[in-house]
Amino acid sequence: MKRFLTVHFFNFAVAIFIMASPVFAQTPDEHASHHPQQATTDTAASMKDTIRAKKSSGMVQEMAEMMKDMGKPTNKEMYPTLMQTNELTPEKRSEIAQLANKQIAEGKALLDMGMEKLSNASRAQDAEAIEVANQQIRRGQMMLESGYEGQRVLSENRDPQLTALQWFNKEMNLDINKNSEKPTFAGLSLFHYFIMFLLTAFAVIMIWMYFHKMKRANTLIDKLTGNSNASVSVGDTANTAIPLNKPISSANNVEKLPIVDPDIAPSKPNSWTGTLLISEIFIETPNVKTYRLTDPEGKKLPFNFLPGQFITVTVNLTGVPIKRSYTIASSPTHTDYCEITVKHEEKGTVSHYMHNNVHVGELMQFTGPSGKFTFTETHAKSVVFIGGGVGLTPMMSAVRYLTDRSWKGEIYFFFACKDESSIIFREEILYLAKRYSNLHVFFVLSQQDGNATMDYIPGHITKEILNDNVPDIVSRMVHICGPTPMMDTVKLILEELQVPKENVMQEVFPGLPKTITKPPQESAESISNESNQVVAENEGKASVKDAVGSVNFVKSNKTAVLTPDKSVLEASEEVGVNIDYSCRVGTCGICKVKLLSGNVTMEVEDALTEDDKKQNIILACQAKSNEQISVDA
């Protein structure tokens, strides 16, 4: 890019030089001053040609004699003499006076001869003789003018060279008086300076544009190579920059590290839709499988992602497309594949289909990537990951990514589940913890019977566990992902530990009713039993007797009941109203619809802008109500 701009800038400079060069070209006046004799000689030659062409009987001898006389130059011409005179010294004055008197005398003689010949030719009505007489008269006049001009120079003490130059302008039909009236500076008119100013301004503007473009190009290159300290929002739609969440600072100053470039630039959210090949299936636990997805043609993945983002799979089982979103568990450093980890939910339509009907070699439709629950080495000096069930998948992606890049920050990874057999990625996590000294892993098992083959903490995540194992937790970023009850419990613990809210990020699981009557230890125990996917697959239909509200889909002219735990999106699926969606967690914004009447509550509003809220736009996947509402769908 730099070479391209430089070559064009050089061509532009050459063009300006060529355009400006006429301004400095030699003027006719200057040319005449260098070759005064040539002008006089050319005039005489021209007259000789004219006379030579006019031959006639009876006048050949007379014309030949005249050509002989006129072809002879005077001993010295007046105007070349004036042009060569820099100063009127006495010697020069004498020379000019003699030459002037001589030319006046010769001019008078030529005039007398010409007038006599003209009179005779007129009586004889000889046209050719008349022309010859006129030529002689004009020659006499020129010699008289030349002589008188020399005398005028002497009498008025005029500049000899200026007088000669004015004579040249007159002979060339140049309006010297008009040109002399124009204001000039350093020999150039205002018009010349105006043109030069325009060219200069144009050149300055082009140079500024060149350097401005180079600055922008260098900034982009710095971002792509990890040499910039600027950070960009994950929601940024630019594909050429590296979108990153704004580093979170706390009262204890969580500093922003210099950006280290990931191996990839994340794609625009949900910018890609297509088919991927199921190339491998790994059994992680009895009810959890990992699906490796690759490009059908064996190329690199058609999209890039950040650790913690998800993709959406679309299946068509009964003629109606069903979408579910799953977090990408693999690291973005592996660009040839990505992996999703799916837990088999008892009533989950898509998860049931994935576990029982999808095999290696099949093609499935996906859309992605999306999601803001991400962490890279640019966000903080260290991080605390707290996950439950399959809720560890975004954190596993981050751990794989950070260790792949040999990040030196401290990583505290707490994983809560029922027992050792429920630990997903168990062998890999232990291997990474052994290999990387900055990765500190803590398994919290609520129902482990007997001895385990590795170290673990019995029970549930508590304030004491976090405080004892994470030094200065208030200065670190904390990521939470898992069932809603577990996350609610952990958030209360972090508040008690005085961790700033801006240092805490969470991935919300929709569709799971909150259990606020259970004590903390009961909530933690639910980790092993609740759905641990990014998108819960609660597809059961509530009975009419539980309905306390209804939603009217105006465009479709259909109505559905709303129970307290049912979203507008779920209600639309029950009655066959098509509302497009992807993530189902309130972050992608695809399921936006306009609320025409009534009121709704939404647990997550991340995808709504202030303008959306002013226009009564809601997220169908999050909107719930216990009254009668209507939406534009």
Side-chain angles (χ1 to χ4, degrees):
M1 181 183 292
K2 291 183 178 180
R3 181 182 179 187
F4 174 79
L5 294 175
T6 303
V7 170
H8 282 270
F9 175 72
F10 175 79
N11 293 337
F12 167 73
V14 172
I16 289 182
F17 177 78
I18 294 174
M19 293 171 63
S21 61
V23 178
F24 304 98
Q26 189 179 41
T27 64
D29 297 351
E30 294 171 340
H31 179 78
S33 67
H34 296 159
H35 307 285
Q37 185 65 31
Q38 181 179 354
T40 304
T41 304
D42 291 344
T43 303
S46 177
M47 293 175 65
K48 291 168 69 175
D49 293 339
T50 303
I51 298 174
R52 186 181 294 117
K54 298 178 180 179
K55 296 180 180 180
S56 63
S57 59
M59 296 190 64
V60 174
Q61 183 66 28
E62 183 179 5
M63 292 176 63
E65 291 178 356
M66 183 176 179
M67 287 176 60
K68 183 177 179 180
D69 293 337
M70 296 180 65
K72 293 180 180 179
T74 59
N75 293 334
K76 198 164 188 180
E77 295 289 347
M78 175 61 69
Y79 292 105
T81 301
L82 295 179
M83 184 62 70
Q84 297 172 2
T85 303
N86 295 326
E87 185 178 357
L88 288 175
T89 61
E91 293 78 6
K92 284 291 183 181
R93 295 180 70 89
S94 176
E95 180 183 351
I96 294 174
Q98 293 178 5
L99 182 59
N101 293 332
K102 181 179 179 180
Q103 289 190 343
I104 290 174
E106 292 180 357
K108 288 181 178 180
L110 285 174
L111 280 175
D112 293 339
M113 293 174 58
M115 293 298 295
E116 183 179 355
K117 291 180 180 181
L118 179 62
S119 178
N120 295 333
S122 297
R123 285 194 296 270
Q125 295 185 351
D126 188 342
E128 294 185 356
I130 291 174
E131 180 64 23
V132 173
N134 287 333
Q135 292 283 353
Q136 188 171 359
I137 291 172
R138 282 194 290 270
R139 176 63 179 168
Q141 289 176 336
M142 290 177 61
M143 295 187 69
L144 281 174
E145 290 178 0
S146 177
Y148 287 139
E149 196 67 34
Q151 290 182 348
R152 189 178 298 113
V153 168
L154 297 177
S155 62
E156 298 177 4
N157 288 324
R158 297 173 60 182
D159 186 348
Q161 293 181 342
L162 179 60
T163 301
L165 181 62
Q166 291 174 342
W167 169 83
F168 175 81
N169 290 334
K170 181 179 178 182
E171 291 298 314
M172 296 297 294
N173 294 322
L174 300 177
D175 192 352
I176 185 171
N177 294 327
K178 181 178 179 180
N179 292 337
S180 63
E181 293 175 358
K182 294 182 179 180
T184 62
F185 178 77
L188 298 177
S189 66
L190 293 178
F191 176 76
H192 286 90
Y193 284 109
F194 177 72
I195 296 299
M196 292 171 64
F197 171 77
L198 290 181
L199 293 175
T200 303
F202 181 72
V204 171
I205 292 174
M206 294 302 296
I207 293 173
W208 177 84
M209 292 178 62
Y210 166 78
F211 285 106
H212 181 66
K213 290 181 178 179
M214 291 303 303
K215 182 178 179 181
R216 293 179 60 187
N218 289 335
T219 302
L220 176 60
I221 292 173
D222 288 340
K223 289 181 180 180
L224 294 177
T225 57
N227 294 325
S228 171
N229 288 327
S231 61
V232 187
S233 171
V234 170
D236 197 338
T237 60
N239 292 336
T240 54
I242 301 176
L244 299 173
N245 286 333
K246 183 178 179 181
I248 300 176
S249 60
S250 67
N252 292 282
N253 191 22
V254 177
E255 298 179 358
K256 178 179 67 176
L257 296 180
I259 288 182
V260 178
D261 176 38
D263 293 336
I264 49 86
S267 302
K268 181 180 177 181
N270 291 319
S271 60
W272 176 85
T273 297
T275 57
L276 293 176
L277 175 69
I278 308 296
S279 61
E280 297 285 349
I281 299 178
F282 306 100
I283 299 177
E284 307 293 351
T285 68
N287 62 345
V288 176
K289 290 183 179 181
T290 293
Y291 300 83
R292 175 168 293 184
L293 312 175
T294 60
D295 182 80
E297 298 180 0
K299 301 178 181 179
K300 295 177 64 176
L301 285 176
F303 59 87
N304 298 322
F305 61 94
L306 285 169
Q309 290 190 305
F310 59 83
I311 57 175
T312 302
V313 60
T314 301
V315 296
N316 194 333
L317 304 180
T318 59
V320 178
I322 302 176
K323 299 180 181 181
R324 293 294 181 267
S325 298
Y326 297 101
T327 299
I328 302 174
S330 57
S331 169
T333 56
H334 300 288
T335 58
D336 293 332
Y337 68 88
C338 67
E339 295 177 346
I340 58 174
T341 301
V342 181
K343 179 182 177 181
H344 187 188
E345 296 289 345
E346 183 178 352
K347 296 182 180 180
T349 302
V350 176
S351 66
H352 180 79
Y353 174 80
M354 295 282 291
H355 272 255
N356 294 283
N357 300 95
V358 174
H359 306 285
V360 173
E362 293 191 20
L363 295 175
M364 299 188 70
Q365 182 178 343
F366 292 89
T367 299
S370 188
K372 300 180 180 180
F373 186 66
T374 62
F375 183 86
T376 66
E377 66 272 45
T378 62
H379 294 159
K381 284 185 175 181
S382 67
V383 64
V384 180
F385 292 137
I386 304 175
V390 182
L392 94 162
T393 51
M395 301 169 185
M396 193 64 194
S397 177
V399 169
R400 287 167 167 168
Y401 169 80
L402 296 173
T403 53
D404 281 348
R405 296 187 56 80
S406 297
W407 186 53
K408 303 305 179 183
E410 298 295 324
I411 307 171
Y412 298 89
F413 190 6
F414 292 86
F415 178 55
C417 62
K418 183 172 60 175
D419 52 30
E420 184 178 4
S421 63
S422 302
I423 300 176
I424 307 172
F425 312 124
R426 173 182 174 278
E427 290 78 10
E428 183 179 359
I429 293 174
L430 292 174
Y431 168 77
L432 293 175
K434 182 179 180 181
R435 190 175 184 86
Y436 297 95
S437 59
N438 62 325
L439 175 59
H440 313 284
V441 177
F442 306 94
F443 295 111
V444 182
L445 307 180
S446 61
Q447 300 180 21
Q448 177 62 31
D449 295 329
N451 297 327
T453 60
M454 76 316 181
D455 294 333
Y456 71 96
I457 301 174
H460 312 281
I461 296 177
T462 63
K463 173 182 176 181
E464 290 72 26
I465 291 176
L466 296 180
N467 196 40
D468 293 344
N469 292 283
V470 183
D472 195 22
I473 191 173
V474 295
S475 65
R476 307 181 191 277
M477 287 191 65
V478 182
H479 281 218
I480 314 169
C481 185
T484 301
M486 182 212 77
M487 291 193 295
D488 291 341
T489 300
V490 173
K491 284 191 293 183
L492 292 175
I493 292 174
L494 295 176
E495 290 180 4
E496 293 180 12
L497 293 174
Q498 298 183 350
V499 177
K501 290 184 178 180
E502 60 267 25
N503 282 18
V504 180
M505 292 188 65
Q506 62 176 335
E507 183 77 277
V508 177
F509 283 10
L512 296 175
K514 295 184 179 181
T515 308
I516 59 175
T517 58
K518 294 183 180 181
Q521 61 269 21
E522 291 295 324
S523 297
E525 184 173 356
S526 65
I527 294 171
S528 60
N529 298 320
E530 295 287 357
S531 169
N532 43 30
Q533 298 174 188
V534 174
V535 178
E537 299 177 337
N538 181 16
E539 295 155 344
K541 298 182 181 180
S543 60
V544 178
K545 66 178 181 180
D546 296 327
V548 293
S550 65
V551 53
N552 178 28
F553 300 100
V554 176
K555 285 184 178 179
S556 304
N557 194 25
K558 294 183 179 180
T559 302
V561 294
L562 287 177
T563 58
D565 60 344
K566 182 187 297 183
S567 68
V568 171
L569 178 60
E570 292 169 334
S572 70
E573 292 173 337
E574 290 182 358
V575 295
V577 174
N578 183 24
I579 297 180
D580 199 10
Y581 64 95
S582 177
C583 71
R584 301 180 76 99
V585 294
T587 59
C588 70
I590 293 180
C591 64
K592 290 180 181 180
V593 294
K594 185 177 181 62
L595 179 66
L596 301 178
S597 65
N599 298 296
V600 299
T601 59
M602 291 180 287
E603 186 173 3
V604 178
E605 301 179 0
D606 292 351
L608 293 180
T609 65
E610 291 301 322
D611 290 337
D612 289 336
K613 295 177 182 179
K614 292 179 181 179
Q615 297 175 16
N616 289 331
I617 302 298
I618 62 173
L619 299 174
C621 70
Q622 296 293 306
K624 299 177 181 179
S625 180
N626 57 1
E627 59 182 76
Q628 293 183 354
I629 65 173
S630 60
V631 297
D632 188 22

